[in-house]
Amino acid sequence: MSLEKTLYIGPFIHSDSLTTLDIAVNGMIGVDEHGTIAFIRRDMKGKQLPTEPGWEESKIVRLNARHGFFFPGFIDTHIHAPQYPNAGIFGKSTLLDWLETYTFPMESSFREVRQAAKVYNRVVARTLSHGTTTACYYATVHVAATNLLADVCLSRGQRAFVGRVCMDRLSPEYYRDESAESSLRDTEACIEHVRGIDPGFELVSPIITPRFAPSCSDESLKALGKLHQDSGIPCQTHISENKSEIALVKKLFPEAPHYAGVYDEAGLLTSKTILAHAVHLTPEERSLIKTRDAKISHCPASNTALASGCAPVRQLLNEGITVGLGTDVSGGYTCSMLAETREAVMVSRHRSILEDGSDECKLSVEEALYLATRGGAKVVGLEDKIGGFEVGKQWDAQMVTFAEVGETVGGLDQKEGPVEVFGGETYEEKVAKWVYTGDDRNTMAVWVRGRLVHCKEGFKP
Ligand code: GUN
Ligand code: ZN
């Protein structure tokens, strides 16, 4: 698709390492007709325009330095699209009874394609409005509904990994795969569908999705592992979220050394594997995950809501494991990665409380934002394309805005937006205020590969 060459002029901020934000207050980013960043200037003055030949007639999107900044789009490394209607509904349950009481009944309703169309259009629109430019979705067992989720992501322009959920045992009669063979066959059908609508997997990619070890037979895990190894298609699953779940895995796989070993023996633990949660891993499991270079999706909102535990994120990072953030809707109550970033900081502080006030485990705002962007890009294997602003990367970005009290931005009254800036704050403080007090009302516009995919009503970038 050919786009208008565009110059984005204004402050831009992104993570340049785990601990630091790179802030260019007088910035300009040139994005070409393919949505790729062609050049970056950091020192624009006033209304000065670039002198690069061929860019004189470009479209300009300008943001006043006092009114916000451009930031990379968020990467949600773990979200269950069909569970969106249940977001915020979990009672007092914990993982295993929550699955039976809330999750399986909801997911089974996606046998109706009409239900899938209603929910999937909403969840993709809503996550885009929160600045999520890439999402790793779990769908359901249903082929038609899973294919529809891929169609919706493609037509709305969200970068996505879409997985048909595999579950051929220990699942309710009304919601399960018939057999290991049918599970594999249906997974392959969904992969072929995505290949048909997006042949190079440029925007939407399939992802092999065994739900978790307890709901997959040995035969199914091995068949999916072979498909993962032969095709190079990535894989996502859950690991070590809850202590009862871990005990169940021990019972179901008595020969396996541990939970991570179950996936490893099936060929499912590779550098293209995304493991959600990893709250209670043993040192041996962490070492194996590090050796295989498998990636972890940390889901703090979910881990608190389902009382699963506080994942030892600092330890994972110190051991060299790649970590990103996931909303895990609807174990997590929010589809907002901004809220998830805030939760990552808060859960790390709860972990600190549990560890006698250890400073070491606390995550800073900068570190949590790194996990939500550049860390997430590594988790999904797209660190060459997204996660930060560098020449050659794609323009997956959000325009974050806030008015100084008493002002307006882009002709819109921003008083409804929750971030209040008084003028004396540094950019680091403005970013912190956004993380702690902001929401989607502060997300004015969102782009994926240079295409505008969300925009606040009334605002014309
Ligand atoms: N483990 C297996 N299935 C699920 C799920 O849908 N959500 C969460 N949080 N954990 C799971
Ligand atoms: Zn999950």
Side-chain angles (χ1 to χ4, degrees), residues 127-236:
T127 50
L128 283 172
S129 77
H130 283 279
T132 298
T133 48
T134 300
C136 293
Y137 287 116
Y138 284 57
T140 60
V141 301
H142 313 101
V143 173
T146 303
N147 291 345
L148 190 134
L149 176 57
D151 296 345
V152 171
C153 294
L154 190 66
S155 68
R156 289 190 178 266
Q158 187 173 54
R159 200 183 289 280
F161 293 81
V162 175
R164 192 200 76 91
V165 171
C166 300
M167 41 195 287
D168 70 325
R169 73 155 170 189
L170 241 66
S171 305
E173 274 302 310
Y174 67 85
Y175 182 55
R176 63 185 301 165
D177 285 317
E178 258 170 43
S179 63
E181 293 105 75
S182 76
S183 189
L184 179 66
R185 198 174 54 235
D186 287 353
T187 297
E188 288 173 332
C190 291
I191 292 170
E192 285 320 306
H193 177 80
V194 179
R195 210 188 295 285
I197 60 169
D198 189 0
F201 301 153
E202 295 290 335
L203 197 71
V204 180
S205 307
I207 184 163
I208 297 163
T209 307
R211 178 165 217 123
F212 66 159
S215 55
C216 296
S217 64
D218 231 2
E219 191 190 347
S220 177
L221 288 173
K222 292 214 160 76
L224 296 171
K226 182 167 181 334
L227 177 64
H228 174 55
Q229 303 262 344
D230 292 349
S231 66
I233 291 171
C235 147
Q236 60 183 354

Side-chain angles (χ1 to χ4, degrees), residues 78 80 83 95-96 98-99 103-104 107 138 165 211-215 238-239 241 245 259 276-277 299 302-303 306 308 328-332:
H78 185 81
H80 297 262
Q83 295 176 22
L95 178 63
L96 299 177
W98 169 78
L99 285 171
T103 307
F104 295 151
E107 289 191 13
Y138 284 57
V165 171
R211 178 165 217 123
F212 66 159
S215 55
H238 297 85
I239 196 167
E241 175 177 1
E245 168 211 14
Y259 201 155
H277 302 297
C299 305
S302 167
N303 295 159
L306 296 181
S308 302
D328 191 28
V329 166
S330 66

